[in-house]
Amino acid sequence: MAKDGIHPQWYPEAKVYCNGELVMTVGSTKPELHVDVWSGNHPFYTGTQKIIDTEGRVERFRRKYGMGGAKKSTGGDK
């Protein structure tokens, strides 16, 4: 059994706001939550994610593990 008086107030219908707009309700210890990013506007979930690669790291990774159009060199041309 939980002890009385040691747990925070629980709000089963806490409202989550993003940019001033109600986006969902969740259970929380606060009645309102204000967030900058949620699954409805996060680039990973919306499919608009872009990989920024200024140093060629992504391409090097893809070549190393065979995940891309570039073929792995055999080591003859260094």
Side-chain angles (χ1 to χ4, degrees):
M1 292 284 221
K3 290 184 178 181
D4 289 334
I6 64 168
H7 298 285
Q9 171 77 34
W10 181 252
Y11 299 94
E13 296 292 322
K15 293 173 178 24
V16 180
Y17 293 95
C18 183
N19 296 328
E21 181 181 334
L22 178 65
V23 292
M24 67 175 80
T25 58
V26 295
S28 177
T29 57
K30 296 185 178 187
E32 289 185 356
L33 302 166
H34 296 272
V35 297
D36 295 327
V37 178
W38 67 292
S39 61
N41 68 356
H42 191 280
F44 179 79
Y45 295 106
T46 60
T48 60
Q49 182 175 17
K50 295 178 184 170
I51 297 174
I52 299 173
D53 184 22
T54 58
E55 297 180 18
R57 294 178 182 162
V58 173
E59 185 58 36
R60 196 166 45 240
F61 175 85
R62 287 182 176 163
R63 275 196 312 263
K64 182 176 181 180
Y65 295 103
M67 304 167 79
K71 292 186 178 181
K72 213 178 195 180
S73 69
T74 58
D77 53 346
K78 290 188 177 185

